[in-house]
Amino acid sequence: MSRRVSYLIHDRDDGLFDAAATVAPDKTYRREGFASLADAEEWIDGLRVLMAAIGAPVVQAQPEPGLRDAPALPFSAARATEPKTAGARLRRFRDAMSASEDEAD
């Protein structure tokens, strides 16, 4: 059964952007420190491609309290070493999602 994924992009006071993605019903992940809105939107586009492969639609969410408090994705602190290609970023996101699913079991 596919799950719906919703996302929000937040602008920060320091000029950077964060993205929060919620996998229905209640798993929320954050990605912090995008340099531009275009970078955040590119990441969301990659998320759409990845989720489309498993039949999960990605939609923009309405702001809800607490999304900014979601745990950061494991690789968000490693921005400097992050792969630059969309495929590599999708593989890292897939691996992070798989790891979090394993922890929940």
Coordinates of all heavy atoms in Angstrom, one line a residue:
M1 N 0.8 -1.2 0.0 CA 0.0 0.0 0.0 C 0.9 1.2 0.0 O 1.8 1.4 0.8 CB -0.9 0.0 1.2 CG -1.8 1.1 1.4 SD -2.9 0.8 2.8 CE -3.3 2.4 3.3
S2 N 0.6 2.1 -0.9 CA 1.5 3.3 -1.0 C 1.1 4.3 0.1 O -0.1 4.4 0.5 CB 1.4 4.0 -2.4 OG 0.1 4.5 -2.6
R3 N 2.0 5.1 0.5 CA 1.7 6.2 1.5 C 1.9 7.5 0.8 O 2.6 7.7 -0.1 CB 2.8 6.1 2.6 CG 2.7 4.8 3.3 CD 3.7 4.8 4.4 NE 3.7 3.6 5.2 CZ 4.5 3.3 6.1 NH1 5.4 4.2 6.5 NH2 4.4 2.2 6.8
R4 N 1.1 8.5 1.3 CA 1.2 9.8 0.8 C 2.4 10.5 1.5 O 2.6 10.3 2.7 CB -0.1 10.6 1.1 CG -0.2 11.9 0.4 CD -1.5 12.6 0.7 NE -1.2 13.3 1.9 CZ -1.9 14.4 2.3 NH1 -2.8 14.9 1.5 NH2 -1.6 15.0 3.4
V5 N 3.0 11.4 0.8 CA 4.2 12.1 1.3 C 3.8 13.6 1.1 O 3.5 14.0 0.0 CB 5.5 11.8 0.6 CG1 6.6 12.6 1.1 CG2 5.8 10.3 0.7
S6 N 3.9 14.4 2.2 CA 3.7 15.8 2.1 C 5.0 16.5 2.5 O 5.8 16.0 3.2 CB 2.5 16.2 3.0 OG 2.7 15.9 4.3
Y7 N 5.1 17.7 2.0 CA 6.4 18.5 2.3 C 6.1 19.9 2.5 O 5.1 20.5 2.1 CB 7.4 18.3 1.1 CG 7.0 19.1 -0.1 CD1 7.5 20.4 -0.3 CD2 6.2 18.6 -1.1 CE1 7.1 21.2 -1.4 CE2 5.8 19.3 -2.2 CZ 6.3 20.6 -2.3 OH 5.9 21.4 -3.4
L8 N 7.0 20.6 3.2 CA 7.0 22.0 3.4 C 8.4 22.5 3.2 O 9.4 21.8 3.6 CB 6.5 22.4 4.8 CG 5.0 22.4 5.0 CD1 4.7 22.6 6.5 CD2 4.3 23.5 4.2
I9 N 8.6 23.7 2.7 CA 9.9 24.3 2.6 C 9.8 25.6 3.5 O 8.9 26.4 3.4 CB 10.3 24.7 1.2 CG1 10.4 23.5 0.3 CG2 11.6 25.5 1.2 CD1 10.6 23.7 -1.1
H10 N 10.8 25.7 4.5 CA 10.8 26.8 5.4 C 12.0 27.7 5.1 O 13.1 27.2 4.8 CB 11.0 26.3 6.8 CG 10.1 25.3 7.3 ND1 8.8 25.6 7.7 CD2 10.1 23.9 7.4 CE1 8.2 24.5 8.0 NE2 8.9 23.4 7.8
D11 N 11.8 29.0 5.1 CA 12.9 29.9 5.0 C 13.4 30.3 6.4 O 12.5 30.4 7.3 CB 12.6 31.1 4.1 CG 11.4 31.9 4.7 OD1 10.5 31.3 5.3 OD2 11.3 33.1 4.4
R12 N 14.7 30.4 6.6 CA 15.2 30.6 7.9 C 15.7 32.1 8.0 O 15.9 32.7 6.9 CB 16.4 29.7 8.2 CG 16.0 28.3 8.1 CD 17.0 27.3 8.5 NE 18.4 27.7 8.5 CZ 19.4 26.8 8.6 NH1 19.2 25.5 8.6 NH2 20.7 27.2 8.5
D13 N 15.9 32.5 9.2 CA 16.4 33.9 9.4 C 17.8 34.1 8.8 O 18.1 35.3 8.5 CB 16.4 34.2 10.9 CG 15.0 34.3 11.5 OD1 14.0 34.5 10.7 OD2 14.8 34.1 12.7
D14 N 18.6 33.1 8.7 CA 19.9 33.3 8.2 C 20.0 33.2 6.7 O 21.1 33.2 6.1 CB 20.9 32.2 8.9 CG 20.5 30.8 8.6 OD1 19.5 30.6 7.8 OD2 21.2 29.9 9.1
G15 N 18.9 33.1 6.0 CA 18.9 33.1 4.6 C 18.9 31.7 3.9 O 18.8 31.6 2.7
L16 N 19.0 30.7 4.8 CA 19.0 29.3 4.2 C 17.6 28.8 4.3 O 16.7 29.4 4.8 CB 19.9 28.4 5.1 CG 21.4 28.8 5.1 CD1 22.2 27.9 6.0 CD2 22.0 28.7 3.7
F17 N 17.4 27.6 3.7 CA 16.1 27.0 3.6 C 16.2 25.6 4.2 O 17.2 24.9 4.1 CB 15.6 26.9 2.2 CG 15.4 28.3 1.6 CD1 16.4 29.0 1.0 CD2 14.1 28.9 1.6 CE1 16.2 30.2 0.5 CE2 13.9 30.1 1.1 CZ 15.0 30.8 0.5
D18 N 15.1 25.1 4.8 CA 14.9 23.8 5.3 C 13.7 23.1 4.6 O 12.7 23.8 4.3 CB 14.7 23.7 6.8 CG 15.9 24.3 7.6 OD1 17.0 24.3 7.1 OD2 15.6 24.7 8.8
A19 N 13.7 21.8 4.5 CA 12.6 21.1 3.9 C 12.2 20.0 4.9 O 13.0 19.4 5.5 CB 12.9 20.5 2.6
A20 N 10.9 19.9 5.1 CA 10.3 18.8 6.0 C 9.4 18.0 5.1 O 8.6 18.5 4.4 CB 9.6 19.4 7.1
A21 N 9.6 16.7 5.2 CA 8.8 15.7 4.4 C 8.1 14.8 5.4 O 8.8 14.2 6.3 CB 9.6 14.9 3.4
T22 N 6.8 14.6 5.3 CA 6.1 13.7 6.2 C 5.6 12.5 5.4 O 4.8 12.7 4.4 CB 4.9 14.4 6.9 OG1 5.5 15.5 7.6 CG2 4.2 13.5 7.8
V23 N 5.9 11.3 5.8 CA 5.4 10.1 5.2 C 4.2 9.7 6.0 O 4.3 9.5 7.2 CB 6.5 9.0 5.2 CG1 5.9 7.7 4.6 CG2 7.7 9.5 4.5
A24 N 3.0 9.6 5.4 CA 1.8 9.3 6.1 C 2.0 8.0 6.8 O 2.6 7.1 6.3 CB 0.6 9.3 5.2
P25 N 1.5 7.9 8.0 CA 0.7 8.9 8.7 C 1.5 9.8 9.6 O 1.1 10.9 9.9 CB -0.3 8.0 9.6 CG 0.5 6.8 9.9 CD 1.4 6.6 8.7
D26 N 2.7 9.4 10.1 CA 3.3 10.2 11.1 C 4.8 10.3 11.1 O 5.4 10.6 12.1 CB 2.8 9.8 12.5 CG 3.2 8.3 12.8 OD1 3.7 7.7 11.9 OD2 2.9 7.9 13.9
K27 N 5.5 9.9 10.1 CA 7.0 10.0 10.1 C 7.4 11.2 9.4 O 7.1 11.4 8.2 CB 7.6 8.8 9.4 CG 7.8 7.6 10.3 CD 9.0 6.9 9.8 CE 9.4 5.7 10.6 NZ 10.2 5.9 11.7
T28 N 8.1 12.1 10.1 CA 8.5 13.4 9.5 C 10.0 13.4 9.5 O 10.7 13.1 10.5 CB 7.9 14.6 10.3 OG1 6.5 14.5 10.2 CG2 8.4 15.9 9.6
Y29 N 10.6 13.9 8.4 CA 12.0 14.0 8.2 C 12.3 15.5 7.8 O 11.6 16.1 7.1 CB 12.6 13.1 7.2 CG 12.3 11.6 7.5 CD1 11.1 11.1 7.0 CD2 13.1 10.9 8.2 CE1 10.8 9.7 7.3 CE2 12.8 9.6 8.5 CZ 11.6 9.0 8.1 OH 11.3 7.7 8.4
R30 N 13.5 16.0 8.2 CA 13.9 17.3 7.8 C 15.2 17.2 7.1 O 16.1 16.4 7.4 CB 14.1 18.2 9.1 CG 12.9 18.9 9.5 CD 13.1 20.0 10.5 NE 14.5 20.1 10.8 CZ 15.0 20.3 12.1 NH1 14.2 20.4 13.1 NH2 16.3 20.4 12.3
R31 N 15.4 18.2 6.2 CA 16.7 18.4 5.5 C 17.0 19.8 5.7 O 16.2 20.7 5.3 CB 16.5 18.0 4.1 CG 17.7 18.3 3.2 CD 18.8 17.3 3.5 NE 20.1 17.8 3.1 CZ 20.4 17.9 1.8 NH1 19.6 17.4 0.9 NH2 21.6 18.4 1.5
E32 N 18.1 20.2 6.3 CA 18.4 21.5 6.7 C 19.5 22.1 5.8 O 20.4 21.4 5.3 CB 18.9 21.6 8.1 CG 17.9 21.0 9.1 CD 18.5 21.0 10.5 OE1 19.7 20.7 10.7 OE2 17.7 21.2 11.4
G33 N 19.5 23.5 5.7 CA 20.6 24.2 5.2 C 20.7 24.3 3.7 O 21.9 24.4 3.2
F34 N 19.6 24.3 2.9 CA 19.7 24.6 1.5 C 20.2 26.0 1.3 O 19.6 26.9 1.9 CB 18.4 24.3 0.8 CG 18.0 22.9 0.8 CD1 17.0 22.4 1.7 CD2 18.5 22.0 -0.1 CE1 16.6 21.1 1.6 CE2 18.1 20.7 -0.2 CZ 17.2 20.2 0.7
A35 N 21.1 26.2 0.3 CA 21.6 27.6 0.1 C 20.5 28.4 -0.6 O 20.6 29.7 -0.4 CB 22.8 27.5 -0.8
S36 N 19.6 27.8 -1.4 CA 18.6 28.6 -2.1 C 17.3 27.9 -2.1 O 17.3 26.7 -1.9 CB 19.1 29.0 -3.5 OG 19.1 27.8 -4.3
L37 N 16.3 28.6 -2.4 CA 15.0 28.0 -2.6 C 15.0 27.0 -3.8 O 14.4 25.9 -3.7 CB 13.9 29.1 -2.8 CG 12.5 28.6 -3.0 CD1 12.0 27.7 -1.8 CD2 11.5 29.7 -3.2
A38 N 15.7 27.3 -4.8 CA 15.9 26.4 -6.0 C 16.5 25.1 -5.5 O 16.1 24.0 -6.0 CB 16.7 27.1 -7.1
D39 N 17.5 25.1 -4.7 CA 18.1 23.9 -4.2 C 17.1 23.1 -3.4 O 17.0 21.8 -3.6 CB 19.3 24.2 -3.3 CG 20.5 24.7 -4.0 OD1 20.6 24.6 -5.3 OD2 21.4 25.3 -3.4
A40 N 16.3 23.7 -2.6 CA 15.3 23.0 -1.8 C 14.2 22.4 -2.7 O 13.8 21.2 -2.6 CB 14.6 23.9 -0.8
E41 N 13.8 23.1 -3.7 CA 12.8 22.6 -4.7 C 13.4 21.5 -5.5 O 12.7 20.6 -5.9 CB 12.3 23.8 -5.6 CG 11.4 24.7 -4.8 CD 11.1 26.0 -5.5 OE1 11.7 26.3 -6.6 OE2 10.1 26.6 -5.1
E42 N 14.7 21.6 -5.9 CA 15.3 20.5 -6.6 C 15.3 19.2 -5.8 O 15.1 18.1 -6.3 CB 16.8 20.9 -7.0 CG 17.5 19.8 -7.8 CD 18.9 20.2 -8.1 OE1 19.3 21.4 -8.0 OE2 19.7 19.3 -8.4
W43 N 15.6 19.3 -4.5 CA 15.5 18.2 -3.6 C 14.1 17.6 -3.5 O 14.0 16.4 -3.6 CB 16.0 18.6 -2.2 CG 16.2 17.4 -1.3 CD1 17.2 16.5 -1.3 CD2 15.3 17.0 -0.3 NE1 17.0 15.6 -0.3 CE2 15.8 15.8 0.3 CE3 14.1 17.5 0.2 CZ2 15.2 15.2 1.4 CZ3 13.4 16.8 1.2 CH2 14.0 15.7 1.8
I44 N 13.1 18.4 -3.5 CA 11.7 18.0 -3.5 C 11.4 17.3 -4.8 O 10.7 16.2 -4.8 CB 10.8 19.1 -3.2 CG1 10.9 19.7 -1.8 CG2 9.3 18.7 -3.4 CD1 10.7 18.8 -0.7
D45 N 11.9 17.8 -5.9 CA 11.7 17.1 -7.2 C 12.3 15.7 -7.2 O 11.7 14.8 -7.7 CB 12.3 18.0 -8.3 CG 11.5 19.2 -8.7 OD1 10.3 19.2 -8.3 OD2 12.0 20.1 -9.3
G46 N 13.5 15.6 -6.6 CA 14.1 14.3 -6.5 C 13.3 13.4 -5.6 O 13.2 12.2 -5.9
L47 N 12.7 13.9 -4.5 CA 11.8 13.2 -3.7 C 10.6 12.7 -4.4 O 10.2 11.5 -4.3 CB 11.4 14.0 -2.5 CG 10.4 13.4 -1.5 CD1 11.1 12.2 -0.8 CD2 10.0 14.4 -0.5
R48 N 10.1 13.5 -5.3 CA 8.9 13.1 -6.1 C 9.3 11.9 -7.0 O 8.5 11.0 -7.2 CB 8.5 14.3 -7.0 CG 7.7 15.3 -6.4 CD 7.3 16.4 -7.5 NE 7.0 17.6 -6.9 CZ 5.9 18.0 -6.2 NH1 5.0 17.1 -6.0 NH2 5.7 19.2 -5.7
V49 N 10.5 12.0 -7.6 CA 10.9 10.9 -8.5 C 11.1 9.6 -7.7 O 10.6 8.5 -8.1 CB 12.3 11.2 -9.2 CG1 12.9 10.0 -9.9 CG2 12.1 12.4 -10.1
L50 N 11.7 9.7 -6.5 CA 11.9 8.5 -5.7 C 10.6 7.9 -5.2 O 10.3 6.7 -5.3 CB 12.8 8.9 -4.5 CG 13.0 7.8 -3.5 CD1 13.9 6.7 -4.2 CD2 13.7 8.3 -2.3
M51 N 9.7 8.8 -4.8 CA 8.4 8.3 -4.3 C 7.5 7.8 -5.4 O 6.7 6.9 -5.2 CB 7.7 9.4 -3.5 CG 8.4 9.8 -2.2 SD 8.4 8.5 -1.0 CE 10.1 8.1 -0.9
A52 N 7.6 8.4 -6.6 CA 6.8 7.9 -7.7 C 7.2 6.5 -8.1 O 6.3 5.7 -8.5 CB 7.0 8.8 -8.9
A53 N 8.4 6.1 -7.8 CA 8.9 4.7 -8.1 C 8.2 3.7 -7.3 O 8.0 2.6 -7.7 CB 10.4 4.6 -7.9
I54 N 7.7 4.1 -6.1 CA 7.0 3.2 -5.2 C 5.5 3.5 -5.1 O 4.7 3.0 -4.3 CB 7.6 3.2 -3.8 CG1 7.5 4.5 -3.1 CG2 9.0 2.6 -3.9 CD1 7.9 4.5 -1.7
G55 N 5.0 4.5 -6.0 CA 3.6 4.8 -6.1 C 3.1 5.7 -5.0 O 1.9 5.7 -4.7
A56 N 4.0 6.5 -4.3 CA 3.6 7.4 -3.3 C 3.6 8.8 -3.8 O 4.6 9.3 -4.1 CB 4.5 7.2 -2.1
P57 N 2.4 9.4 -3.8 CA 2.3 10.8 -4.3 C 3.0 11.8 -3.3 O 2.9 11.6 -2.1 CB 0.8 11.1 -4.4 CG 0.2 10.1 -3.5 CD 1.1 8.9 -3.5
V58 N 3.6 12.8 -3.8 CA 4.2 13.9 -3.0 C 3.4 15.2 -3.2 O 3.2 15.6 -4.4 CB 5.7 14.1 -3.4 CG1 6.3 15.2 -2.6 CG2 6.4 12.8 -3.2
V59 N 2.9 15.7 -2.1 CA 2.1 16.9 -2.2 C 2.6 18.0 -1.3 O 3.2 17.6 -0.2 CB 0.6 16.7 -1.9 CG1 0.0 15.7 -3.0 CG2 0.4 16.1 -0.5
Q60 N 2.3 19.2 -1.6 CA 2.7 20.3 -0.6 C 1.8 20.3 0.5 O 0.5 20.3 0.3 CB 2.8 21.6 -1.4 CG 3.3 22.7 -0.5 CD 3.5 24.0 -1.3 OE1 3.1 24.2 -2.4 NE2 4.2 25.0 -0.7
A61 N 2.3 20.4 1.7 CA 1.4 20.4 2.9 C 1.1 21.8 3.4 O 1.8 22.8 3.0 CB 2.2 19.7 4.0
Q62 N 0.1 21.9 4.2 CA -0.2 23.1 4.9 C 0.7 23.2 6.1 O 0.9 22.2 6.8 CB -1.7 23.2 5.3 CG -2.6 23.1 4.1 CD -2.4 24.3 3.2 OE1 -2.2 25.5 3.6 NE2 -2.4 24.1 1.9
P63 N 1.2 24.4 6.5 CA 2.0 24.5 7.7 C 1.3 23.9 8.9 O 0.2 24.2 9.2 CB 2.3 26.0 7.8 CG 2.0 26.5 6.5 CD 1.0 25.7 5.9
E64 N 2.1 23.1 9.7 CA 1.5 22.6 10.9 C 2.6 22.8 12.0 O 3.8 22.8 11.8 CB 1.3 21.1 10.8 CG 0.3 20.7 9.9 CD 0.1 19.2 9.8 OE1 0.5 18.5 10.7 OE2 -0.4 18.7 8.8
P65 N 2.1 23.0 13.3 CA 3.1 23.2 14.4 C 3.9 21.9 14.5 O 3.4 20.8 14.4 CB 2.2 23.5 15.6 CG 0.8 23.5 15.1 CD 0.8 23.1 13.7
G66 N 5.1 22.0 14.8 CA 6.0 20.9 15.1 C 6.8 20.4 14.0 O 7.7 19.6 14.2
L67 N 6.5 20.8 12.7 CA 7.4 20.3 11.6 C 8.8 20.7 11.7 O 9.7 20.0 11.4 CB 6.8 20.7 10.3 CG 5.6 19.9 9.8 CD1 5.2 20.4 8.4 CD2 5.9 18.4 9.7
R68 N 9.0 21.9 12.3 CA 10.4 22.4 12.4 C 11.1 21.6 13.5 O 12.4 21.7 13.5 CB 10.4 23.9 12.8 CG 10.0 24.8 11.6 CD 10.1 26.2 12.0 NE 9.6 27.1 11.0 CZ 10.4 27.8 10.2 NH1 11.7 27.9 10.4 NH2 9.9 28.6 9.3
D69 N 10.4 20.9 14.3 CA 11.0 20.1 15.4 C 11.3 18.7 15.0 O 11.8 17.9 15.8 CB 10.2 20.1 16.7 CG 9.9 21.6 17.2 OD1 10.9 22.4 17.0 OD2 8.8 21.8 17.6
A70 N 11.0 18.3 13.8 CA 11.2 16.9 13.3 C 12.7 16.6 13.3 O 13.5 17.5 13.1 CB 10.6 16.7 11.9
P71 N 13.1 15.3 13.5 CA 14.5 15.0 13.5 C 15.1 15.2 12.1 O 14.4 15.0 11.1 CB 14.5 13.5 13.8 CG 13.1 13.0 13.5 CD 12.2 14.2 13.7
A72 N 16.3 15.7 12.1 CA 17.0 16.0 10.8 C 17.3 14.6 10.2 O 17.6 13.6 10.9 CB 18.2 16.8 11.1
L73 N 17.4 14.6 8.9 CA 17.8 13.4 8.2 C 19.3 13.1 8.5 O 20.0 14.1 8.7 CB 17.6 13.6 6.7 CG 16.2 13.6 6.2 CD1 16.1 13.9 4.7 CD2 15.5 12.2 6.4
P74 N 19.7 11.9 8.5 CA 21.0 11.6 9.0 C 22.1 12.3 8.2 O 23.2 12.6 8.7 CB 21.1 10.1 8.8 CG 19.7 9.6 8.7 CD 18.9 10.7 8.2
F75 N 21.9 12.6 6.9 CA 23.0 13.2 6.1 C 22.9 14.7 6.0 O 23.7 15.3 5.3 CB 23.0 12.6 4.7 CG 21.7 12.6 4.0 CD1 21.3 13.7 3.3 CD2 20.8 11.6 4.1 CE1 20.1 13.8 2.6 CE2 19.6 11.6 3.5 CZ 19.2 12.7 2.7
S76 N 22.0 15.4 6.7 CA 21.9 16.8 6.6 C 23.1 17.6 7.1 O 23.4 18.7 6.7 CB 20.6 17.3 7.3 OG 20.6 17.1 8.6
A77 N 23.8 17.0 8.1 CA 24.9 17.7 8.7 C 26.2 17.5 7.8 O 27.1 18.3 7.9 CB 25.3 17.1 10.0
A78 N 26.1 16.6 6.8 CA 27.2 16.4 5.9 C 27.1 17.1 4.6 O 27.4 16.6 3.5 CB 27.4 14.9 5.7
R79 N 26.5 18.3 4.6 CA 26.3 19.1 3.4 C 27.5 19.2 2.5 O 27.4 19.1 1.3 CB 25.7 20.4 3.7 CG 25.4 21.3 2.6 CD 24.0 21.1 2.1 NE 23.7 22.2 1.1 CZ 23.1 21.9 0.0 NH1 22.8 20.7 -0.3 NH2 22.9 22.9 -0.8
A80 N 28.6 19.4 3.1 CA 29.9 19.7 2.3 C 30.3 18.5 1.5 O 30.9 18.6 0.5 CB 31.0 20.1 3.2
T81 N 30.0 17.3 2.0 CA 30.4 16.0 1.3 C 29.3 15.4 0.5 O 29.4 14.3 0.0 CB 30.9 15.0 2.3 OG1 29.9 14.7 3.3 CG2 32.1 15.5 3.1
E82 N 28.1 16.1 0.5 CA 27.0 15.6 -0.2 C 27.2 15.4 -1.7 O 27.8 16.3 -2.4 CB 25.8 16.5 0.0 CG 24.5 16.0 -0.7 CD 23.4 17.0 -0.4 OE1 23.1 17.2 0.8 OE2 22.9 17.5 -1.4
P83 N 26.8 14.3 -2.3 CA 26.9 14.1 -3.8 C 26.2 15.2 -4.5 O 25.1 15.7 -4.1 CB 26.3 12.8 -4.0 CG 26.2 12.1 -2.7 CD 26.2 13.2 -1.7
K84 N 26.6 15.6 -5.6 CA 26.0 16.7 -6.4 C 25.0 16.2 -7.4 O 24.1 17.0 -7.8 CB 27.1 17.5 -7.1 CG 28.1 18.1 -6.2 CD 27.5 19.0 -5.2 CE 28.6 19.6 -4.3 NZ 28.1 20.2 -3.1
T85 N 25.0 14.9 -7.8 CA 24.0 14.5 -8.8 C 22.7 14.1 -8.1 O 22.7 13.7 -7.0 CB 24.6 13.3 -9.6 OG1 24.7 12.2 -8.7 CG2 25.9 13.6 -10.2
A86 N 21.6 14.3 -8.9 CA 20.3 14.0 -8.3 C 20.2 12.5 -8.0 O 19.7 12.1 -7.0 CB 19.2 14.3 -9.3
G87 N 20.8 11.6 -8.8 CA 20.7 10.2 -8.6 C 21.4 9.8 -7.3 O 20.9 9.0 -6.5
A88 N 22.6 10.4 -7.0 CA 23.3 10.1 -5.8 C 22.6 10.6 -4.6 O 22.5 9.9 -3.6 CB 24.7 10.7 -5.9
R89 N 22.0 11.8 -4.7 CA 21.2 12.3 -3.6 C 20.0 11.4 -3.3 O 19.6 11.2 -2.2 CB 20.7 13.7 -3.9 CG 21.9 14.7 -3.8 CD 21.4 16.2 -3.7 NE 20.6 16.5 -4.8 CZ 21.0 17.1 -5.9 NH1 22.2 17.5 -6.1 NH2 20.1 17.4 -6.9
L90 N 19.3 10.9 -4.4 CA 18.2 10.0 -4.2 C 18.6 8.7 -3.5 O 17.9 8.2 -2.7 CB 17.5 9.8 -5.6 CG 16.8 10.9 -6.2 CD1 16.3 10.6 -7.6 CD2 15.6 11.3 -5.3
R91 N 19.7 8.2 -3.9 CA 20.2 7.0 -3.3 C 20.4 7.2 -1.8 O 20.1 6.4 -1.0 CB 21.4 6.4 -4.0 CG 21.2 5.8 -5.3 CD 22.4 5.1 -5.9 NE 23.4 6.0 -6.3 CZ 23.5 6.7 -7.4 NH1 22.5 6.5 -8.3 NH2 24.4 7.5 -7.7
R92 N 21.0 8.3 -1.4 CA 21.3 8.6 0.0 C 20.0 8.8 0.7 O 19.9 8.3 1.9 CB 22.2 9.9 0.1 CG 23.6 9.6 -0.3 CD 24.5 10.7 0.0 NE 24.6 10.8 1.5 CZ 25.6 11.3 2.1 NH1 26.6 11.7 1.5 NH2 25.6 11.4 3.4
F93 N 19.0 9.5 0.1 CA 17.7 9.6 0.8 C 17.0 8.3 0.9 O 16.5 8.0 2.0 CB 16.8 10.6 -0.1 CG 15.4 10.7 0.6 CD1 15.3 11.6 1.6 CD2 14.3 10.0 0.1 CE1 14.0 11.7 2.2 CE2 13.1 10.2 0.7 CZ 12.9 11.0 1.7
R94 N 17.1 7.4 -0.1 CA 16.5 6.1 0.0 C 17.1 5.3 1.1 O 16.5 4.6 1.9 CB 16.7 5.4 -1.3 CG 16.1 4.0 -1.3 CD 16.6 3.1 -2.5 NE 18.0 2.9 -2.3 CZ 18.9 2.9 -3.3 NH1 18.5 2.9 -4.5 NH2 20.2 2.7 -3.1
D95 N 18.5 5.4 1.2 CA 19.2 4.7 2.3 C 18.8 5.2 3.7 O 18.6 4.4 4.6 CB 20.7 4.8 2.1 CG 21.2 4.1 0.8 OD1 20.4 3.2 0.3 OD2 22.3 4.3 0.4
A96 N 18.6 6.5 3.8 CA 18.2 7.1 5.0 C 16.8 6.6 5.4 O 16.5 6.3 6.6 CB 18.3 8.6 5.0
M97 N 15.9 6.6 4.4 CA 14.5 6.1 4.7 C 14.5 4.7 5.1 O 13.8 4.3 6.0 CB 13.7 6.3 3.4 CG 13.4 7.8 3.0 SD 12.3 8.6 4.2 CE 10.8 7.9 3.8
S98 N 15.3 3.9 4.4 CA 15.4 2.4 4.8 C 15.9 2.2 6.2 O 15.4 1.4 6.9 CB 16.3 1.7 3.8 OG 15.7 1.7 2.5
A99 N 16.9 3.0 6.5 CA 17.5 2.9 7.9 C 16.5 3.3 8.9 O 16.3 2.6 10.0 CB 18.7 3.8 8.0
S100 N 15.7 4.3 8.7 CA 14.7 4.8 9.7 C 13.6 3.8 9.8 O 13.0 3.5 10.9 CB 14.2 6.2 9.3 OG 13.4 6.1 8.2
E101 N 13.2 3.1 8.7 CA 12.2 2.1 8.7 C 12.7 0.9 9.5 O 11.9 0.3 10.3 CB 11.8 1.6 7.3 CG 11.0 2.7 6.5 CD 9.7 2.9 7.1 OE1 9.0 2.0 7.5 OE2 9.2 4.1 7.1
D102 N 14.0 0.5 9.4 CA 14.6 -0.6 10.1 C 14.6 -0.3 11.6 O 14.3 -1.2 12.4 CB 16.0 -0.9 9.7 CG 16.0 -1.4 8.2 OD1 15.0 -1.9 7.8 OD2 17.1 -1.4 7.6
E103 N 14.8 1.0 12.0 CA 14.9 1.3 13.4 C 13.5 1.2 14.0 O 13.3 0.9 15.2 CB 15.4 2.8 13.6 CG 16.9 2.9 13.3 CD 17.3 4.3 13.3 OE1 16.5 5.2 13.6 OE2 18.5 4.6 12.9
A104 N 12.4 1.5 13.2 CA 11.1 1.5 13.7 C 10.6 0.1 14.0 O 9.7 -0.1 14.8 CB 10.1 2.2 12.7
D105 N 11.2 -0.9 13.3 CA 10.7 -2.3 13.4 C 11.2 -2.9 14.7 O 11.5 -2.8 15.6 CB 11.2 -3.1 12.3 CG 10.5 -2.7 10.9 OD1 9.5 -2.1 11.0 OD2 11.1 -3.1 9.9

